[in-house]
Amino acid sequence: RPAFQTANQEAFGKLFQKGGESLAQMKHCVAIYPDEVEVGKEARFDAGAIFAEGEEPVAPEGLAYQTLPGGRWAVFRHVGPYDTLWQTWQAAYRDWLPSSGEEPRNTFPFEDYVDDASQVAAEKLRTDICIPIK
């Protein structure tokens, strides 16, 4: 299994284990990639929960708030199971970005999980891949 999948599972495991009742107010989850992801290489990975504006439950011990930076983002909608997300990432970085005339901005990309995987069939899951651009 690629290292980023292991990092993903560990990060979300920690979020859901420690998040407890504060996650009841969550709108949806995000996955933040603070480093460039390379298959087979160790990866850092942050799992997060997005709350409605004005909602800010106390972060349980071991968790912290992080603010997603503002600015321009190229957003790519992936529809399908999480294990095929790499295809959309690859299309965005390998195909779209070089031909778009856009330049990546120096901040981290993230995935915004639009649907709850426990409520939506894998083939219908919507995930937005958000790439920072100048």
Side-chain angles (χ1 to χ4, degrees):
R1 162 185 323 174
F4 64 86
Q5 284 181 330
T6 301
N8 175 308
Q9 290 172 351
E10 289 173 0
F12 275 107
K14 180 178 179 181
L15 175 66
F16 289 119
Q17 177 188 27
K18 292 183 177 265
E21 299 213 6
S22 64
L23 294 180
Q25 299 173 50
M26 173 180 69
K27 290 184 70 164
H28 43 104
C29 291
V30 294
I32 301 168
Y33 297 90
D35 301 317
E36 187 173 330
V37 176
E38 293 182 49
V39 175
K41 303 266 180 166
E42 207 162 302
R44 287 190 311 151
F45 182 96
D46 294 337
I50 293 182
F51 298 95
E53 191 170 332
E55 296 290 328
E56 194 171 302
V58 174
E61 187 174 329
L63 299 180
Y65 278 98
Q66 186 178 129
T67 301
L68 294 172
R72 292 179 66 218
W73 297 85
V75 179
F76 300 85
R77 172 67 50 96
H78 173 85
V79 178
Y82 297 144
D83 64 359
T84 60
L85 277 165
W86 66 271
Q87 295 169 345
T88 304
W89 278 99
Q90 189 174 49
Y93 273 101
R94 186 194 66 204
D95 302 333
W96 178 81
L97 190 59
S99 66
S100 70
E102 299 290 352
E103 292 182 48
R105 191 163 31 102
N106 189 22
T107 192
F108 46 78
F110 65 94
E111 292 171 352
D112 182 352
Y113 303 105
V114 177
D115 296 309
D116 180 342
S118 69
Q119 304 294 317
V120 176
E123 65 274 2
K124 293 184 179 181
L125 286 171
R126 295 171 298 159
T127 305
D128 287 337
I129 294 174
C130 303
I131 298 172
I133 55 175
K134 292 181 181 176

